[in-house]
Amino acid sequence: MREGKGKEYLSKYVAERKKCTFKTEELINVLDGGPHKTKDRKFREKYFLEDPELQSKVPLEYLSHKEKYEEAVRKACLLFKKVQQLQNEGRGGMDNFREVLGGQLGSAILGDGNPLTLHYVMFIPTIMGQGNFEQQAEWIQKAWECSIIGTYAQTELGHGTFIRGLETRAVYDSKTEEFVLNSPSLTAYKWWPGGLGHSANYAVVVAQLYTKGQCHGIHPFIVQLRDEETHVPLPGIKIGEIGCKLGMNSTNNGYLGFENVRIPRTNMLMKNNKVLPDGTYQSSPSSKLTYGTMIFVRVVLVQDAATYLKKSVTIATRYSAVRRQCQIKAEEPETQILNYVTQQHKIFPNIATCFAFQYAANWLWDIYNEVNSQLETGQLDNLPELHATACVLKAVSTADAAVGVEICRLACGGHGYMTSSNLPSIYGLVTAMCTYEGENTVLLLQTARFLVKMWQSKKNLTNLPTLKYLETALHKTKPFEKSVEWIISALQTTAARKIELANNHINDRIKRGQSSEVAWNNTSIELVEMADIHGRIFIVDIFHQSIRKLQVSPELEIVLNQLDQLYAVSQALKLTGHLLRFTDLTASNIETLQSWLEELLAALRPNAVGLVDSFDFRDEVLASALGAFDGNVYERLFSAAQKSPLNAEPVNKSFQHYLKPFLKSSL
Amino acid sequence: MREGKGKEYLSKYVAERKKCTFKTEELINVLDGGPHKTKDRKFREKYFLEDPELQSKVPLEYLSHKEKYEEAVRKACLLFKKVQQLQNEGRGGMDNFREVLGGQLGSAILGDGNPLTLHYVMFIPTIMGQGNFEQQAEWIQKAWECSIIGTYAQTELGHGTFIRGLETRAVYDSKTEEFVLNSPSLTAYKWWPGGLGHSANYAVVVAQLYTKGQCHGIHPFIVQLRDEETHVPLPGIKIGEIGCKLGMNSTNNGYLGFENVRIPRTNMLMKNNKVLPDGTYQSSPSSKLTYGTMIFVRVVLVQDAATYLKKSVTIATRYSAVRRQCQIKAEEPETQILNYVTQQHKIFPNIATCFAFQYAANWLWDIYNEVNSQLETGQLDNLPELHATACVLKAVSTADAAVGVEICRLACGGHGYMTSSNLPSIYGLVTAMCTYEGENTVLLLQTARFLVKMWQSKKNLTNLPTLKYLETALHKTKPFEKSVEWIISALQTTAARKIELANNHINDRIKRGQSSEVAWNNTSIELVEMADIHGRIFIVDIFHQSIRKLQVSPELEIVLNQLDQLYAVSQALKLTGHLLRFTDLTASNIETLQSWLEELLAALRPNAVGLVDSFDFRDEVLASALGAFDGNVYERLFSAAQKSPLNAEPVNKSFQHYLKPFLKSSL
C-alpha cells in the first residue's frame, strides 16, 4: 500500500525539461517572429502584469456580477492610462492599444472582458472609416484622448446576421435638420454591444435611414447616450445591460432603445453616403470598401483561436506531467498521466494544431494586407477570395479551438472543472468566437457559395491561389504514401469531389422543380462539410509550407516536422470516411496512418513540456493552478481555495439561520 | 426595407403546434411510463415548484459565490422539510428523496447544486450497505431524521480514479480502542465531496487501515467533523470549501485534512471487514457486493444525460421556431431558422438521441435490478457484463449529451450564450458527468478490457446478451439496405473487426517484446474507439427493439419510427470511415444514407415542436427565456435583463470613482 508521497510528484516533472531535445529559447523567438519581438513582448508583459494596482484583491469568480463590473471599470481605466503613458514615451501606437485592450494581454489583466474595448476596436475605426473629413476632425481627437467613450451598436434583440432586417429608424426632419431615432418595437432594441450598458456615453448606431418618405437602408449615426458630466441617460434613451453570460461578464454588454431621440444631421457618418440639409439622399457606390474591417477582425480571431488553444494545451500538458495515476505495470509507482497514450492523443494533436493555426493566421494576415493595399488602388478582384478564405478559416479555427480547449479541460479530470485551473474561463471566451463576428455555419455557407460559384463559372482558377487545386484535384490520384504531401493531395481530391457532388445535387433538385434557393437549402449539410474540408486543406498546406521556409537548427526542424506530420495525420484519420469514399485510400493504408500517428505521439512525448514552454506564457497570463511553470499544482490548488470568502469564517451564518433550526426540528 | 415587425414573430410559432401529426399527451404518457406516472410527476412538480418560498428573489447568477451558498442552504433545508412532510403524509419513500434531492426536480429548484444531496445519495446508502446491524441501528435513524448531516469523503487532492493510492491513514490504537486519522501530506487531503465545506457535520471517510503495524487497504469510517451545537470544526479537523467551479457552485464541495483525529473503534463500518478490540483484522471476501452502488449511480447518469439533452433540444427547438433570420427566397419575409436544413441537422438528431438514451437507460435499469437480485442469492456471473455495459453506456451517453447540449446552445446564436437561456448552466452540469463517477476514457478502457478478455477466452458468448453478436458478426456480411437492421448489423461487424484488430495489435506488440501492460497502453487509442462503437450498437439496437414493443397509436408509431431511423442513420454517417473499412458499404450507399437523413429531417420538421412539448418540462424546470412554452422569447430576454442589479441604478458608482476622473484627466 503506497502513501505519504508528499512532494515527490514534482521530481519527475522537473526532469521533463531535461528531456527536451531542442532549445525552447529558439522556438520562442521563432513563434514571436524574431528575438527583438520576444524582447518587446516581454517588456510589455512586465510593464503591465507587474503593476500591483492591476491585480485584484479577491479572485473575480467570488464577486457578485455588479462587483465584477466595478472592478473591471477600475482596471480598464488604469490600463488605458498606462497605455497612454507608453504612448507619450513614444513606445508604440495603435498596435499597443490593440494588443493591450483587445488582445491577450488585456484579456489576462481584465480576466473576463473589458467594458471599454469597443471604444478602440469599433468606435474609433468606424468613424475613421466612415466619417468624412469634418466628422473625423470633430470626433477622432475627443475619442482618441478619451474625453468621450464610445461603442458600436448594430445588432438588435431580434436581428443579428441579417443586418438588412434591422428595425431601428433614423427619420430625417428637414425642418430642424435633425434625424429622429426610434425603436419601433422591442425586437428593434440594440442588444449585445460591449460597454453599452453603463460604460459608454456615445455610440455609433446603425439604423434604417428614412428621408423624404423613402427608406435608403442601414447607415451609421453618432449618438450621444449619456450626459458627459453626470452620466445620466439622455431623454428618450432607454439603456441598461443585458445580464449574465457564459463568459465575458465584465464586458458590460448592453441594450438600447430610442424614443424620439433627435441628433444633428451632421451626426450621420457621411464619407460614402450623404443626406443634404433639404433631405436629398446622395449615395456612393464604394460599399465594398467597408468589407475590410470585417475581414480584419476575422484575421485576428484566427490568431486568438490559436492563443486560447495554446493556453489550454500548456495547462493540460504541465498538469499531465505532474499528475500521477495508476500503474502501467503493477508494483511500479503511479505513473505520470502524460505517459498514457490516450492522454497523449488528447493533447499532442492539439499542440500541433496551435502551430498550424498560428501559421494560417500569419499567412492570412499577409494576404489581408496585400489585398487591402490593392483596395486602396481601387483593385477589388481578390476581395471575394480573401473574404471566402477568412470566413472558412475563422469558422474552422474557432470551432476546432473550442473543441480542443474542452478536450484539454476534460483531460485534467476533476481539477480541470475548477475555476482555479482557468480552463472553464478560457472555454467561455473561445466558444463565444464560434458565434460572434459571423456565426460559423453562416460563414461556412458563404465560403460554400463562393466555391460553388467558381465551380459553376468554370472560370480560370489558376489566378486564385486558394482554388488552383480544383483544376487538377478531381482526376489526379496520387498513390498512397506516408507523407504530408499525400494527405494534402488526398484532401484536395476529396474537396473537389465534394464540390462536384454538392453541385450535382443542387442541379438535380432544380431539375426536380425546386427553386435554386430551396435546392441550396436542401443541399446545405453537404455544402457545410465541403467548405469545412476546403478550409482544412488550407491549414495543413500552409503549415507544411511555412515551416519549410523557416531557418532553424536541425534539432528544432525535426520537432517542427513531427508537428506538421501529426497535424496532417490527425486530420486524415478524422476524415477517413471521406478519404475512403473519394480517394484511393485502402483499409490497410489506414493501419499505416494509425501507426504513423502512434509513432509521432511517442516521438513527441519527451518534448511535450518543452513545446508548451515555448509558447512562453507568464504564470499571470495562464492564471492556472494546474499550468504554472513550477508544476506546484497541489499547493496552488490549495492556496486558491483559501481565497474563497466562504473560507474566511469557520462557520457560515447559514448554519444559525437555516441549518441548525432544521437539524433541531428533525429530532 | 422591412421593419417594425412587433410581435408578428409569434404568429408562426403558435401555428407550429397545429402542424403536429400526433397527440403530445399520448407521447408524454409513453415517456413517463403510463398516465398515472404522469399524474404523480405533475403533482410533485406542482407541490415543489409552486411554493413561493422556493423561489429566489434575485437570479443566482447575480449573487456572489458566498451568497449563492447561503441561498442554497436556505432552499435545501426547505426542500428537505417539504419532502419529510410528503413522507409523513404517506406519499412515497426513498424515491421521493432521490427525485427531489438528487434528481432533476431538485436541480431545477436549487439551480446550481444542493449542498445536502450527498447526505441521502451517499452517506445513508453507505452506512446501510457497509455498516453492521449495530451501526445501522445507531446511525441510520439519526441520519434519516436529519439530526445529523453527512457526506462521503473518498477522493483526495492527489488521488481520484486509483483508489488504492489514497493516502489518508486510520491507525488503530488498541490501548484506547480508537483509530487515529492523519493526512500525511497535502495530496492526502480529501477534496471534492459535496457539502463537505461548510454544510455537513459528519462524513464517511475512506482511509488506509493500519492495525498491528500492517496496512489492510482502504476502509470506510464514520467521522464527526463539526460540533453539533456550534458547527465549529472539531480539533484536528482542517476543513473548508475548494472554491469556484465551471458549475455546481452551490454544492459546497470541500476539502478535509486530519491531524491526530481519534474516533472509536466502532466507527469503522464493519459489515464486511472487522477490527477486533485487540487490533486483530478479520476480512470478508464479498467485496464484489459493493459494486452494486457504483453501477446504480451510472445507470442514473444515463437517465440524467437524456434529461439534460431533452432540456437543451426543447430550448433550441422552440427558439428556432420563433427566431427568424434571412430569407430563403428574396422578397419573402424572414424565415423561422428551424426551416434551415443545417439547423434541423443540429437539433433533430439530438431529439432522436434523447429517446435513444431514455430507452437505453430504461433497459439498463431493468438489467441492473435483475443482476442485483441475482447478487442477493450469491450469483455473481452476470456482474462483469453488467459492469462493462454500465461503463460504456455512461461514457457514450454523457459524452454525446455534452456535445449535443453545446450544439443546441450554439444553434441559439448569441442568445444561447446568455445565462437567461439556461443553456450555459445545463452545459456546466452535463459536462461534469463526463468526469465524475468514472472518467469516460477510464470507463471505455474498462469495457475494452472486458471485450478483449472475452474475445481472447473464446468463451461461449451466447449467454452474454451484449456480446452474442460477436459470434457471427465477424463473417456475416448483410448486403446493404436502407434499414435500421442493416445499420445495426454493420456496426456489429465493425465492432467485431475492431476487437479482432486491436487484439492482433496487442499480440504483435507483445511478440515484438513489449510487456502486456505496455502493449495495452500502446494500443489504447484503438481500444477506446472499439469500446465506444460497442456501446453505440447497443443504444441503436435497444432503441429499435424498445419502440417495437410499445403499444401506441398509428400516428405516434410513424414518428417514433422516424426517430429510430434518424438516430441510426446519424450514427452510421458519423462512422462511415469505419463502415467503409470494415463492411461492404460502398461510396454510393453513402449517398443513399445521406438522402435518407435529409428525408427524415424534412419528415420530422412539422413535429419538431410537438416532440419537445412531449418532454413536458414546466417553464420553471427549463428556466429559459428562449425555451418557455409560450415562445415569448424577446419579452422574456428583456425582462430577465431587468433583474440585473446593475440595472437598478441608471448610473453605477464606478462612473464617479473611476470613469469620470479618467475622462476628465484625458482632456
Side-chain angles (χ1 to χ4, degrees):
Chain A
M1 222 40 67
R2 296 189 57 259
E3 43 67 43
K5 56 185 190 173
K7 266 197 173 189
E8 90 192 36
Y9 60 82
L10 268 180
S11 60
K12 281 240 176 179
Y13 176 71
V14 170
E16 285 293 332
R17 295 203 166 95
K18 294 194 185 126
K19 290 188 207 166
C20 186
T21 61
F22 63 93
K23 293 210 168 57
T24 52
E25 190 65 27
E26 183 186 2
L27 183 50
I28 290 171
N29 292 334
V30 167
L31 289 171
D32 277 323
H36 64 289
K37 291 206 175 170
T38 301
K39 206 180 142 201
D40 283 356
R41 174 176 59 77
K42 282 180 183 288
F43 164 78
R44 273 201 309 273
E45 288 174 351
K46 197 176 154 63
Y47 176 77
F48 287 101
L49 294 167
E50 296 185 3
D51 183 335
E53 287 212 73
L54 283 175
Q55 322 292 321
S56 290
K57 278 179 213 137
V58 176
L60 289 185
E61 59 259 37
Y62 297 113
L63 304 182
S64 72
H65 183 67
K66 193 172 163 186
E67 290 164 340
K68 273 181 205 167
Y69 170 66
E70 289 157 0
E71 175 66 358
V73 174
R74 184 185 75 80
K75 282 188 180 176
C77 290
L78 257 166
L79 204 59
F80 270 44
K81 269 276 163 234
K82 281 184 80 89
V83 178
Q84 287 175 338
Q85 276 160 18
L86 267 193
Q87 208 77 356
N88 295 342
E89 291 164 21
R91 293 176 181 266
M94 193 65 184
D95 274 358
N96 257 332
F97 281 89
R98 208 173 274 140
E99 165 60 14
V100 178
L101 303 176
Q104 290 292 330
L105 188 50
S107 151
I109 292 165
L110 268 293
D112 203 23
N114 184 334
L116 307 185
T117 297
L118 286 204
H119 179 67
Y120 282 101
V121 174
M122 292 296 293
F123 184 69
I124 295 179
T126 305
I127 297 173
M128 286 168 75
Q130 304 199 46
N132 61 26
F133 184 76
E134 295 76 26
Q135 290 173 323
Q136 297 202 15
E138 180 178 356
W139 297 103
I140 296 292
Q141 185 65 15
K142 281 193 215 175
W144 189 251
E145 288 174 353
C146 295
S147 62
I148 62 174
I149 291 287
T151 182
Y152 180 84
Q154 176 177 300
T155 318
E156 296 173 357
L157 186 48
H159 310 275
T161 297
F162 187 65
I163 56 173
R164 275 189 288 152
L166 293 176
E167 294 179 66
T168 304
R169 290 173 174 220
V171 180
Y172 187 64
D173 177 354
S174 60
K175 287 193 290 288
T176 59
E177 295 190 16
E178 287 172 321
F179 292 102
V180 187
L181 275 79
N182 272 293
S183 310
S185 69
L186 182 60
T187 47
Y189 268 57
K190 297 295 172 188
W191 192 270
W192 275 115
L196 176 63
H198 299 84
S199 316
N201 50 13
Y202 281 80
V204 168
V205 172
V206 180
Q208 303 285 358
L209 164 65
Y210 285 80
T211 175
K212 296 188 172 179
Q214 213 188 334
C215 179
H216 297 280
I218 54 170
H219 287 73
F221 303 84
I222 297 181
V223 183
Q224 183 174 355
L225 307 174
R226 291 170 177 271
D227 182 273
E228 288 188 27
E229 284 302 313
T230 63
H231 215 55
V232 171
L234 296 186
I237 298 283
K238 299 173 219 170
I239 196 164
E241 71 129 7
I242 62 170
C244 272
K245 293 145 290 166
L246 175 52
M248 310 182 76
N249 277 303
S250 305
T251 45
N252 193 228
N253 301 90
Y255 67 80
L256 171 61
F258 299 99
E259 194 180 326
N260 295 320
V261 172
R262 290 184 165 261
I263 56 170
R265 180 187 66 90
T266 51
N267 277 24
M268 173 173 143
L269 292 176
M270 301 210 199
K271 184 176 180 182
N272 301 318
N273 306 312
K274 290 182 187 60
V275 171
L276 304 183
D278 70 348
T280 305
Y281 180 73
Q282 287 186 343
S283 73
S284 133
S286 60
S287 66
K288 278 209 175 175
L289 290 172
T290 61
Y291 259 82
T293 337
M294 206 166 68
I295 296 177
F296 168 74
V297 177
R298 288 177 191 155
V299 174
V300 172
L301 292 187
V302 179
Q303 179 62 62
D304 283 352
T307 307
Y308 287 124
L309 191 57
K310 282 178 187 171
K311 287 186 182 181
S312 303
V313 295
T314 303
I315 296 166
T317 303
R318 288 180 178 162
Y319 176 65
S320 301
V322 172
R323 177 72 169 187
R324 298 195 194 184
Q325 190 173 275
C326 301
Q327 304 127 316
I328 290 181
K329 295 184 196 176
E331 304 313 313
E332 284 189 358
E334 286 188 69
T335 192
Q336 293 163 286
I337 59 175
L338 199 55
N339 292 331
Y340 289 104
V341 173
T342 48
Q343 188 78 350
Q344 295 166 9
H345 187 223
K346 289 173 190 176
I347 300 174
F348 297 175
N350 279 308
I351 295 180
T353 303
C354 294
F355 284 84
F357 286 177
Q358 168 151 356
Y359 284 104
N362 293 353
W363 176 88
L364 191 59
W365 178 243
D366 292 343
I367 300 288
Y368 165 75
N369 283 316
E370 206 177 302
V371 175
N372 223 23
S373 54
Q374 292 168 0
L375 284 183
E376 280 163 25
T377 68
Q379 198 203 318
L380 303 176
D381 297 0
N382 294 317
L383 196 60
E385 188 186 10
L386 172 64
H387 173 67
T389 311
C391 285
V392 74
L393 290 184
K394 184 274 185 184
V396 171
S397 66
T398 57
D400 283 9
V403 170
V405 168
E406 274 303 79
I407 290 174
C408 289
R409 185 181 64 72
L410 289 163
C412 294
H415 296 337
Y417 194 69
M418 300 211 55
T419 310
S420 57
S421 75
N422 202 23
L423 291 165
S425 165
I426 295 173
Y427 183 66
L429 298 170
V430 75
T431 187
M433 301 202 309
C434 297
T435 304
Y436 63 62
E437 298 299 335
E439 194 277 330
N440 280 351
T441 304
V442 172
L443 293 187
L444 289 171
L445 285 170
Q446 293 201 9
T447 303
R449 198 169 287 280
F450 177 70
L451 290 172
V452 170
K453 193 174 151 193
M454 291 297 108
W455 184 267
Q456 287 176 346
S457 73
K458 309 256 188 265
K459 196 177 138 177
N460 182 354
L461 301 171
T462 317
N463 294 327
L464 299 170
T466 68
L467 295 189
K468 214 163 42 186
Y469 74 87
L470 292 177
E471 292 191 322
T472 51
L474 202 53
H475 307 292
K476 185 179 69 178
T477 47
K478 193 176 163 100
F480 178 78
E481 58 178 39
K482 189 178 151 185
S483 76
V484 177
E485 288 81 4
W486 178 83
I487 292 173
I488 293 169
S489 140
L491 292 175
Q492 288 174 339
T493 305
T494 301
R497 292 286 309 280
K498 296 256 329 161
I499 298 172
E500 182 187 39
L501 206 58
N503 189 49
N504 292 346
H505 289 159
I506 292 171
N507 291 337
D508 291 348
R509 288 184 161 112
I510 291 172
K511 272 184 213 141
R512 276 184 275 134
Q514 296 178 10
S515 70
S516 63
E517 297 91 343
V518 170
W520 176 266
N521 184 30
N522 285 336
T523 315
S524 56
I525 298 172
E526 287 182 81
L527 290 166
V528 164
E529 281 181 5
M530 158 198 117
D532 177 87
I533 294 174
H534 171 72
R536 284 171 200 285
I537 292 171
F538 227 73
I539 303 175
V540 178
D541 193 13
I542 295 294
F543 182 27
H544 188 60
Q545 289 174 34
S546 302
I547 62 164
R548 245 133 221 84
K549 288 180 202 148
L550 294 173
Q551 299 289 325
V552 297
S553 66
E555 302 80 37
L556 183 55
E557 197 182 346
I558 292 170
V559 182
L560 290 174
N561 283 329
Q562 288 166 344
L563 291 168
D564 175 29
Q565 293 172 40
L566 180 58
Y567 184 70
V569 74
S570 300
Q571 293 295 313
L573 280 167
K574 275 186 201 158
L575 296 170
T576 51
H578 292 301
L579 297 178
L580 286 168
R581 184 176 173 195
F582 295 118
T583 77
D584 291 342
L585 185 80
T586 66
S588 80
N589 297 153
I590 294 179
E591 293 221 39
T592 307
L593 294 175
Q594 179 71 25
S595 316
W596 191 12
L597 169 76
E598 289 162 356
E599 287 159 19
L600 289 164
L601 296 178
L604 284 162
R605 168 66 187 86
N607 286 323
V609 171
L611 281 167
V612 300
D613 283 352
S614 307
F615 296 144
D616 203 28
F617 290 112
R618 285 176 67 116
D619 282 351
E620 299 96 324
V621 173
L622 281 182
S624 170
L626 306 185
F629 189 82
D630 64 11
N632 226 335
V633 165
Y634 300 114
E635 279 78 359
R636 285 175 189 276
L637 277 171
F638 195 76
S639 93
Q642 301 313 310
K643 291 182 186 148
S644 168
L646 268 177
N647 288 333
E649 309 155 312
V651 179
N652 178 268
K653 67 180 181 198
S654 61
F655 174 71
Q656 292 297 337
H657 287 183
Y658 311 118
L659 201 53
K660 191 170 180 181
F662 171 65
L663 296 175
K664 296 302 165 186
S665 76
S666 309
L667 282 174
Chain B
M1 221 42 63
R2 297 189 56 261
E3 42 68 45
K5 55 186 191 173
K7 266 198 173 188
E8 90 193 36
Y9 59 84
L10 268 181
S11 59
K12 280 240 176 180
Y13 177 71
V14 171
E16 285 292 332
R17 293 202 167 98
K18 295 195 188 127
K19 292 188 204 164
C20 187
T21 61
F22 63 94
K23 292 209 169 57
T24 52
E25 189 65 26
E26 182 185 5
L27 184 49
I28 290 171
N29 292 334
V30 166
L31 289 171
D32 277 324
H36 63 290
K37 291 204 175 171
T38 300
K39 203 180 145 202
D40 283 357
R41 175 176 59 75
K42 283 182 182 287
F43 164 77
R44 274 201 308 273
E45 289 174 351
K46 194 176 157 65
Y47 177 76
F48 288 102
L49 293 167
E50 295 185 3
D51 183 335
E53 287 212 71
L54 284 174
Q55 322 291 323
S56 291
K57 277 178 216 142
V58 176
L60 289 185
E61 58 259 39
Y62 296 113
L63 304 182
S64 73
H65 184 67
K66 194 172 162 186
E67 290 164 339
K68 273 180 205 167
Y69 170 66
E70 290 157 0
E71 175 66 357
V73 174
R74 183 184 76 79
K75 282 190 183 174
C77 290
L78 257 166
L79 204 57
F80 271 45
K81 269 276 163 235
K82 282 183 78 89
V83 178
Q84 287 174 338
Q85 277 161 15
L86 267 194
Q87 208 77 359
N88 296 342
E89 293 164 18
R91 291 176 181 268
M94 192 66 184
D95 273 358
N96 256 332
F97 282 90
R98 206 172 276 139
E99 165 61 13
V100 178
L101 304 174
Q104 290 292 331
L105 188 50
S107 150
I109 292 166
L110 268 295
D112 203 24
N114 183 334
L116 307 184
T117 297
L118 287 203
H119 179 67
Y120 283 99
V121 174
M122 291 296 292
F123 185 68
I124 295 179
T126 306
I127 297 174
M128 285 168 78
Q130 304 200 45
N132 61 26
F133 185 76
E134 296 77 24
Q135 291 173 322
Q136 298 202 13
E138 181 178 355
W139 296 103
I140 295 292
Q141 183 65 17
K142 281 194 217 178
W144 189 251
E145 289 175 352
C146 294
S147 62
I148 63 174
I149 290 287
T151 181
Y152 180 84
Q154 175 176 301
T155 317
E156 296 174 355
L157 187 49
H159 310 276
T161 298
F162 187 65
I163 55 171
R164 275 188 289 153
L166 293 176
E167 293 180 66
T168 304
R169 289 173 175 219
V171 180
Y172 187 63
D173 178 353
S174 61
K175 286 195 290 292
T176 59
E177 296 191 12
E178 287 173 321
F179 291 102
V180 187
L181 275 81
N182 271 292
S183 311
S185 70
L186 182 60
T187 48
Y189 268 57
K190 296 297 172 188
W191 192 270
W192 277 114
L196 177 62
H198 299 85
S199 317
N201 52 13
Y202 281 80
V204 168
V205 172
V206 180
Q208 302 285 357
L209 164 64
Y210 285 79
T211 174
K212 296 188 171 177
Q214 216 189 329
C215 180
H216 296 281
I218 54 170
H219 288 73
F221 302 85
I222 297 181
V223 183
Q224 183 176 355
L225 306 173
R226 291 172 177 270
D227 183 272
E228 289 188 26
E229 284 302 313
T230 64
H231 215 55
V232 170
L234 297 185
I237 297 285
K238 298 174 221 170
I239 197 163
E241 72 127 6
I242 62 171
C244 273
K245 293 144 291 168
L246 175 51
M248 308 181 79
N249 277 304
S250 304
T251 46
N252 193 230
N253 301 90
Y255 67 80
L256 171 62
F258 299 99
E259 194 178 328
N260 294 320
V261 172
R262 290 183 165 261
I263 56 171
R265 179 186 65 91
T266 51
N267 278 24
M268 173 173 143
L269 292 175
M270 299 211 200
K271 183 175 180 183
N272 301 317
N273 306 312
K274 289 181 187 59
V275 172
L276 304 183
D278 70 348
T280 305
Y281 178 74
Q282 287 185 343
S283 73
S284 133
S286 58
S287 66
K288 278 210 173 173
L289 290 173
T290 61
Y291 259 82
T293 335
M294 207 165 69
I295 297 177
F296 168 73
V297 177
R298 287 177 192 155
V299 174
V300 172
L301 292 187
V302 179
Q303 178 63 60
D304 283 351
T307 307
Y308 287 124
L309 191 56
K310 283 179 189 171
K311 286 187 184 181
S312 303
V313 295
T314 303
I315 297 166
T317 302
R318 289 181 179 164
Y319 176 64
S320 301
V322 173
R323 178 73 169 185
R324 300 197 194 179
Q325 189 173 276
C326 302
Q327 304 128 314
I328 289 181
K329 295 186 196 175
E331 303 313 312
E332 284 189 0
E334 287 190 69
T335 190
Q336 293 164 288
I337 59 176
L338 198 55
N339 293 332
Y340 289 104
V341 173
T342 49
Q343 188 78 350
Q344 295 166 7
H345 188 221
K346 289 174 190 177
I347 300 174
F348 297 174
N350 280 307
I351 296 180
T353 303
C354 294
F355 284 84
F357 286 177
Q358 166 151 356
Y359 284 103
N362 292 353
W363 176 88
L364 191 59
W365 177 242
D366 292 342
I367 299 289
Y368 165 75
N369 283 316
E370 203 177 304
V371 175
N372 223 22
S373 54
Q374 291 169 358
L375 284 181
E376 279 163 25
T377 67
Q379 197 203 320
L380 304 176
D381 297 0
N382 294 318
L383 195 59
E385 188 187 10
L386 172 64
H387 173 67
T389 310
C391 285
V392 74
L393 290 184
K394 184 271 186 187
V396 171
S397 65
T398 57
D400 283 9
V403 169
V405 169
E406 275 303 77
I407 290 174
C408 290
R409 186 181 63 71
L410 289 162
C412 295
H415 296 335
Y417 194 69
M418 300 212 54
T419 311
S420 57
S421 76
N422 202 24
L423 290 165
S425 166
I426 295 173
Y427 183 65
L429 298 170
V430 74
T431 186
M433 301 205 305
C434 298
T435 304
Y436 64 61
E437 298 299 336
E439 193 278 328
N440 280 352
T441 304
V442 172
L443 294 187
L444 289 171
L445 285 170
Q446 292 200 10
T447 303
R449 199 170 285 280
F450 176 70
L451 291 173
V452 170
K453 193 173 150 196
M454 290 297 108
W455 184 265
Q456 287 175 344
S457 72
K458 309 255 188 264
K459 197 177 138 179
N460 181 354
L461 301 171
T462 316
N463 293 326
L464 299 170
T466 67
L467 296 188
K468 215 161 42 185
Y469 74 86
L470 293 176
E471 291 190 324
T472 52
L474 201 53
H475 307 294
K476 184 178 70 178
T477 47
K478 195 178 162 98
F480 177 80
E481 56 178 40
K482 189 178 153 185
S483 76
V484 177
E485 287 81 6
W486 178 83
I487 292 174
I488 294 169
S489 144
L491 291 175
Q492 289 175 337
T493 305
T494 301
R497 292 285 311 278
K498 295 264 315 168
I499 299 173
E500 180 187 41
L501 205 58
N503 188 49
N504 291 347
H505 289 159
I506 292 171
N507 291 336
D508 291 349
R509 287 183 162 112
I510 292 173
K511 272 184 212 140
R512 278 184 271 136
Q514 295 179 10
S515 69
S516 63
E517 296 92 343
V518 170
W520 177 267
N521 185 29
N522 285 336
T523 315
S524 56
I525 298 172
E526 288 181 81
L527 290 166
V528 164
E529 280 180 5
M530 157 198 119
D532 177 86
I533 294 174
H534 170 71
R536 285 173 199 283
I537 292 172
F538 227 73
I539 303 173
V540 178
D541 195 12
I542 295 296
F543 182 28
H544 189 59
Q545 288 175 34
S546 302
I547 60 164
R548 246 135 218 82
K549 289 180 201 147
L550 294 173
Q551 299 288 326
V552 296
S553 67
E555 301 81 39
L556 183 55
E557 196 182 347
I558 291 170
V559 182
L560 290 175
N561 282 331
Q562 288 166 343
L563 291 168
D564 174 29
Q565 294 172 38
L566 180 59
Y567 184 70
V569 76
S570 300
Q571 293 295 313
L573 280 167
K574 275 188 201 158
L575 296 171
T576 51
H578 292 301
L579 297 178
L580 286 169
R581 186 175 172 197
F582 295 118
T583 77
D584 291 342
L585 186 81
T586 65
S588 79
N589 297 153
I590 294 180
E591 293 221 41
T592 308
L593 293 176
Q594 178 72 26
S595 316
W596 191 12
L597 169 77
E598 290 161 355
E599 287 158 20
L600 288 165
L601 297 179
L604 284 162
R605 168 66 186 87
N607 286 322
V609 171
L611 280 167
V612 301
D613 282 352
S614 307
F615 295 144
D616 201 28
F617 289 111
R618 283 176 68 116
D619 282 350
E620 300 95 323
V621 173
L622 282 182
S624 170
L626 306 185
F629 189 81
D630 64 11
N632 225 335
V633 165
Y634 299 113
E635 278 77 358
R636 285 174 189 276
L637 277 170
F638 195 75
S639 93
Q642 300 313 313
K643 292 183 185 149
S644 168
L646 267 175
N647 288 334
E649 307 155 314
V651 179
N652 179 267
K653 67 180 182 201
S654 61
F655 174 70
Q656 291 297 337
H657 288 183
Y658 311 119
L659 201 54
K660 190 172 182 181
F662 170 65
L663 295 175
K664 297 301 164 186
S665 76
S666 307
L667 283 175

